[in-house]
Amino acid sequence: GYKRSAHARLFGTGDFNPATRCTVIVAHPADEIVGAGCLISKLVDVAVVHVTDGARDMGEAKAAGFNDVASYAEARRRECLTALAFADVSEDRVVEFDVPDTTACECLPDLTKRIAAFLQQSGTDIVVTHPYEGGHPDHDATAFATHAALRLMQLNGLQPPTLFEMALHPGNDEISKLPEFLPGAEGETTTLVLDERATELKRRMLECLRSQRRSIEASPLGLERFRQPPEYDFSAPPQEGQLHYEKFDWAPRRSEWQSRARKALNDLFPSSKTASQSMQNSL
């Protein structure tokens, strides 16, 4: 029979994809709204995984108007659930891994196994996650763990879901988020241009994210971009020169991130000649 391309399955209208199950795996609550809110609203069967709690430290909590990190994390979670309800995603379809913000690279093997188990249990057909591009250490860790989870599924004789990435790169101001991929990687990019109705729906979703107001107001509204990932070597930095997150004192340096990634690859895929090659070749 006629097999629709992965792009057609993801981006066709909901009427054509009632059977496509999509899981959106993001580093922080609200990443999925900013990067893929319109897409999520078009999908019929979607689950969302938040890897971290999105509450970095007391300074960030105070700047958002909260007296402690825990209440800031809870507010981010509740805001997200309210926003996702506009896209018909109910609370029971949202999974919190509750890793502390900025520390996702410290638990890569565990994160990989949790994602693999979730994808297997949910019968996911398509996954949307972050690209590996040095924008935020938690974004890169989420990309690593999602790619590694698909590799684990394959090694266990399971058919892994098709993988897409959403464009969501931090702007140089540390506040805005841009619907762009780092230049350099080739490949088909699908751009969703939001019409008036979609723009209004996304605006309503974004208005729910009150604690993220500064970031939302600094970020453009109107496009969402997706692509299938290029081949990544997670044992090497995603780009030459200083990574975006290395500009900030709260983030790990690339050397720390890289050593954790290499150790995780060896822990997860001990028999591979070079674990990173094995991941590359399999996907």
Side-chain angles (χ1 to χ4, degrees):
Y2 167 55
K3 190 172 187 307
R4 303 175 74 220
S5 76
H7 271 263
R9 283 172 63 209
L10 185 59
F11 302 109
T13 64
D15 300 340
F16 292 116
N17 326 331
T20 300
R21 293 189 153 182
C22 181
T23 296
V24 183
I25 303 175
V26 291
H28 311 104
D31 285 347
E32 78 281 17
I33 308 290
V34 180
C38 176
L39 174 68
I40 289 170
S41 73
K42 291 175 181 299
L43 297 171
V44 175
D45 187 344
V46 61
V48 174
V49 175
H50 295 146
V51 169
T52 79
D53 59 10
R56 187 167 77 228
D57 55 32
M58 203 49 227
E60 197 183 53
K62 277 215 153 78
F66 295 88
N67 293 325
D68 59 84
V69 172
S71 54
Y72 176 47
E74 176 60 14
R76 285 199 72 165
R77 191 178 77 81
R78 300 290 341 161
E79 289 169 1
C80 241
L81 292 173
T82 307
L84 286 167
F86 279 109
D88 295 323
V89 179
S90 57
E91 185 168 347
D92 63 348
R93 304 305 307 278
V94 183
V95 179
E96 312 286 346
F97 282 179
D98 285 324
V99 174
D101 192 283
T102 74
T103 71
C105 68
E106 296 171 23
C107 56
L108 292 172
D110 179 56
L111 197 50
T112 297
K113 289 169 187 165
R114 289 176 78 179
I115 289 172
F118 179 83
L119 295 177
Q120 189 178 336
Q121 287 158 10
S122 61
T124 296
D125 301 303
I126 289 181
V127 175
V128 179
T129 193
H130 298 281
Y132 176 54
E133 46 184 33
H136 190 292
D138 289 339
H139 289 203
D140 286 358
T142 300
F144 173 102
T146 303
H147 280 256
L150 268 53
R151 169 73 178 139
L152 272 188
M153 291 175 75
Q154 201 162 43
L155 287 174
N156 289 324
L158 300 164
Q159 175 68 44
T162 304
L163 186 55
F164 279 87
E165 302 178 328
M166 63 178 188
L168 187 69
H169 198 76
N172 287 326
D173 53 10
E174 204 202 344
I175 301 171
S176 61
K177 294 187 171 75
L178 309 174
E180 293 162 14
F181 292 109
L182 271 191
E186 296 303 311
E188 179 187 359
T189 297
T190 296
T191 301
L192 288 186
V193 181
L194 279 59
D195 62 19
E196 200 173 326
R197 189 159 153 262
T199 301
E200 185 51 38
L201 174 65
K202 187 156 178 181
R203 186 174 284 115
R204 287 166 74 188
M205 293 171 80
L206 292 170
E207 280 170 0
C208 300
L209 310 175
R210 292 192 182 88
S211 69
Q212 307 305 300
R213 192 181 294 116
R214 280 177 70 230
S215 169
I216 302 290
E217 286 171 355
S219 304
L221 170 66
L223 294 178
E224 293 178 0
R225 288 192 173 92
F226 305 90
R227 70 179 183 200
Q228 291 194 264
E231 282 194 357
Y232 292 128
D233 178 0
F234 288 98
S235 68
Q239 59 169 5
E240 300 290 317
Q242 186 187 41
L243 303 181
H244 178 82
Y245 64 70
E246 290 183 301
K247 299 172 186 172
F248 309 112
D249 57 8
W250 51 261
R253 302 302 88 184
R254 79 168 66 201
S255 54
E256 182 193 340
W257 199 100
Q258 231 56 65
S259 74
R260 289 184 184 279
R262 283 192 208 101
K263 183 177 185 313
L265 286 169
N266 289 324
D267 289 353
L268 289 161
F269 310 109
S271 60
S272 308
K273 285 196 288 290
T274 70
S276 60
Q277 276 308 111
S278 130
M279 258 174 78
Q280 271 190 20
N281 296 340
S282 71
L283 295 175

